[in-house]
Amino acid sequence: MESKNAIEALAALAQEGRLAAFRLLVKHAPDGLPAGDIAERLEMPPSTLSTNLSILARAGLVTATREGRSIRYRADMSGMAALLAYLMEDCCGASPALCDPVISEVTCC
């Protein structure tokens, strides 16, 4: 990941509604949720949600799949993994064991 992409991803998450949407999608990974369900659960107007999800998608943090008349959004875990890897790329210098607590905290499933 290049710094430009990392900055875009971090900027996308640096807003309350987008962060809430991403966290909700992470909770529902890998299946994701239809846009209407996300809007309802977050009590967010559909137009605001659409804008927020578009920003997250451009940042590589969510994906969208059309299902008939609905769009299902999913957290892009590979995008988040790339961001975390970028942030921790130079972690701990010559002592990678120092990073183990952080790695175990973000490792799932």
Side-chain angles (χ1 to χ4, degrees), residues 39-88:
E40 185 178 307
R41 291 172 191 230
L42 297 178
E43 299 178 356
M44 188 180 294
S47 60
T48 302
L49 178 66
S50 178
T51 299
N52 286 335
L53 291 171
S54 292
I55 291 168
L56 289 167
R58 278 194 305 275
L61 298 172
V62 301
T63 61
T65 307
R66 180 161 292 283
E67 295 179 349
R69 294 177 44 184
S70 180
I71 299 176
R72 179 174 294 270
Y73 288 90
R74 293 175 175 85
D76 186 337
M77 301 310 282
S78 63
M80 179 51 80
L83 176 60
L84 291 173
Y86 175 81
L87 292 172
M88 297 184 67

Side-chain angles (χ1 to χ4, degrees), residues 18-40:
R18 291 191 295 268
L19 182 59
F22 181 76
R23 288 176 50 92
L24 179 63
L25 290 172
V26 167
K27 288 178 189 175
H28 290 276
D31 298 328
L33 291 168
D37 288 359
I38 300 168
E40 185 178 307

